Amino acid sequence: MIKKSVMFFMAIVLLLGILAGCQSSNDTNASKKEPGKAFNKTGYPIVDKKVTMTMFGPNVGLTQWKDMQFFKTMEKKTNVHFKFKTPPSESLDTKKNLTFASGDLPDVFYGASLTQEEQVKYGSQGILIPLEDLIKDYAPHIQKMLDEHPDIKKAITTDDGHIYALPYVNQALPWARGPMWYNGKFLKNLGVKELPKTTEELYDLLKRFKTEDPNKNGKADEIPLTGFKIEDIRQWFLGAFGVADPKVELVDGKVKYGAIQPGYKDYLVYMHKLWKEGLLDHETFSQTAEQKQAKGHDNRLGLFADWFPHFTLGGSDSSTKNPMMVPVKGPNVDKPIIPISSGISGGQFAITNKNDHPAAAIRWADYSYSKEGSNFLHYGKEGDFWKWGNKDKNIRTHVDPPKGFESGEEYRGTLTPDYGIPVPTWTRTEDEKGWDDPFTQFIYKQTDEKIRPYGQVPFPPVFLKKNESSEISRISSDLDTYWQQMEAKFITGQKPISDWDKYVKTIKKMDVDKLVDIYSKAYKRYQKK
Amino acid sequence: MVVKNESKFDQVFKVFNYSVLAIALIIVLYPLIYIVSASISDPALVNSGKMWFFPKGITFEGYKRVFDNSEIWIGYRNTIFYTVLGTAINLFVTLPAAYALSRKDFVGRNIFMAMFVFTMFFSGGLIPTYLLVKSLGMVNTIWAMVLPNAAAVWNIIICMTFFQVTIPKELEEAAIIDGCSTTKLFFKIIIPLSAPIIAVMALFYGVGHWNGYFNALIYLSDQNLYPLQLVLRQILVLQEMGSQMTGSGAAGAAASAMHNKAEIAAIIKYAVMIISTLPIIIIYPFLQRFFVKGVMIGSIKG
């Protein structure tokens, strides 16, 4: 009897707890907060009397944000003082969810990569305040960027016309992931003058890598083609058959699902041929990045994906002897596609309804979108780790970092948050390119020749409505697992390509048409913005 | 039972027994030896699979870097502190609670027991717990590391059973007849008789604190308070990130720097593992004799 009543009591307590948790506050007037009297609409400091805000952002673990030169100098300049909440970058998502769910909000989110879903959800709840009016009134540099680049504006404006978060914009290197590189030594030893331009030529070259002992050790231990994961290789080979992305893609103005296109089938057939003849590394689906790297250090790789070639091959970090792969085209395609990044990463600066000084906050962020401000954010001041080589031509040269730092970059990571994470800024391509070292020039030259002419963003950054995004995540969770498994099975030959029709049928059964339909609608809304 | 002549079956059984045990030993021991070897080997050889048992290309670079890394030592210091203080608090809470619940003459014993057990199956969830800890002002303090979860119900039950089974009721009665108070009874008679269970509890809780990182991840934001496991996690995850960098975030030189950091992480990874598990490995043999005994006793309910 006692036991029962206790249980009942506990159940009631539990229920009350749940109900109490459901209460939500409806405080959406934050955006209407007037700037105080001490606020300056132009010029610096932003506020005459020091204001304090809390900032939430990921720390990559080199130094604490409060000790960074960038924040210290900005505080002197603007009179805005920040208290930092900086979880380690790898647990950012956990902490971010906790922050939103518990209501224990900061004044601003900085570099926290709020997803589009989060922007829509917390924006419509009033937790994040709309920024477009604040931008118009107080942020001339951001406004200028949005006016000059309508694609940026489209990418960050939600369907209800609000901007809830500012982006990181860096269009200097449009790589979506590390490109594919040839091993320069192999090419030299085989006397290859011209890099393959079609899938057939590439096949012949890979075959030569395999059989003609290009590393000259007398053993047939060469691996003609490898990647850390199939994604690394897929990006350059899928495009050869006219498919930009195995998931949803926009090709010739039409929304399609890549993994059921005829071009995708050609890709599978080709990759299976490479697999069967041992040209594609049989560990592609299973190896770790370190294992791939170890093969590269042993000079066994011919064609591989990595951010820079020396990451895999080892050796000098300024070697320009390993050329980037030329995009190849398949028999049924006029021009190959290389999927690229739009260079816009949204959700990097947002103001919450807790913030008492939204105008000051947006002005503080606005500075990083000016040329001077974005330079200061990224490069600090002259002498930190660089000096002007030719100021008129915007050319910098490296100087040695202080003792205790292995590279200028490592030192830079202690000066500014703009290191390893996307931050709210607008990086100018001419500044990124403006280094006098040959490797930087090599990278940009290769990119301009081999990626830009073929580059295409697989799908524009459309916003989804709440019911749409839950529908998409329902469909794609099964769908993605399925096509990825099947891709591996087709390539390795566990499933013959004659099963293709069955495969397409199964995908159709998994509501792929609905998914394409939702994205088509979202794309139409995107176009209208 | 004394067996003079082993039967054939016994012999076969013995051979079988030893071979199974030998295999088990190899399975358990090999990873340990591998990590020790890897920690003093050239990481390139480790990654390429050329180092598989004995160290190759011996280098102490990993250890050197660990000893130079102040974050790891701060983490180490914090972890020791959390483990010692946290375990002390755990024992201080668990033992009296378990003893009280073990006494049949404790009024409302069933109600309390039911409430304890209830929490084993139902909890408030992460966010309400976070809010509670925050309202108590413990977020970003050492207390968030030692006070939440101070009592583990499972451990209380183990202790309670131990008290019920191993300490004769007559002993308590005799003490009370001699004029001993309950408090005195607990400290002078029960505790001294409970060395095995105390050791086992200390080990359970201690290892938990030593390995714990989730509470730190949720409640702490000051890097100077991070325990070793969180620092470790950061090092290892950075290595992962560096090696599969994607997206527009990392441009040019930053990519190189991340890559270098990943390579350093590969060097120190195994050294850090050794250094962080060594204390537990050293303490374990001393507690082991209690450990086997304590768990056995706790598990048989009389």
Side-chain angles (χ1 to χ4, degrees), chain B residues 168-182:
Chain B
K169 203 163 184 289
E170 292 74 20
L171 198 62
E172 296 173 17
E173 280 166 357
I176 288 168
I177 289 168
D178 285 348
C180 183
S181 69
T182 316

Side-chain angles (χ1 to χ4, degrees), chain A residues 59 91 95 101 104 293 307, chain B residues 130 134 217-218 223 250 263:
Chain A
N59 188 329
S91 30
K95 277 279 204 179
D104 184 18
Q293 204 177 323
W307 198 259
Chain B
Y130 175 80
K134 184 174 152 24
L217 180 67
I218 297 299
Q223 280 186 27
E263 287 203 322

Side-chain angles (χ1 to χ4, degrees), chain A residues 290-303:
Chain A
E290 289 86 43
Q291 285 169 332
K292 182 197 75 176
Q293 204 177 323
K295 290 174 192 164
H297 281 289
D298 287 351
N299 197 24
R300 291 171 58 200
L301 301 180
L303 177 61

Side-chain angles (χ1 to χ4, degrees), chain A residues 272-291:
Chain A
H272 176 57
K273 187 166 88 172
L274 298 187
W275 176 276
K276 208 173 55 198
E277 303 192 14
L279 305 179
L280 171 61
D281 189 357
H282 282 204
E283 287 176 0
T284 300
F285 290 95
S286 58
Q287 68 186 343
T288 65
E290 289 86 43
Q291 285 169 332

Side-chain angles (χ1 to χ4, degrees), chain A residues 361-421:
Chain A
I362 201 87
R363 280 209 61 203
W364 185 91
D366 184 52
Y367 181 68
S368 298
Y369 288 87
S370 68
K371 186 168 165 63
E372 180 194 320
S374 88
N375 266 326
F376 176 65
L377 172 59
H378 192 79
Y379 299 109
K381 48 189 201 318
E382 180 172 10
D384 283 342
F385 58 95
W386 58 275
K387 62 180 188 332
W388 285 113
N390 185 337
K391 200 169 178 180
D392 299 328
K393 282 193 183 155
N394 206 33
I395 299 286
R396 290 180 167 85
T397 49
H398 295 280
V399 299
D400 285 337
K403 266 212 174 114
F405 293 97
E406 283 176 30
S407 67
E409 270 304 305
E410 199 187 319
Y411 178 54
R412 196 175 73 78
T414 66
L415 300 176
T416 161
D418 181 12
Y419 174 87
I421 57 163

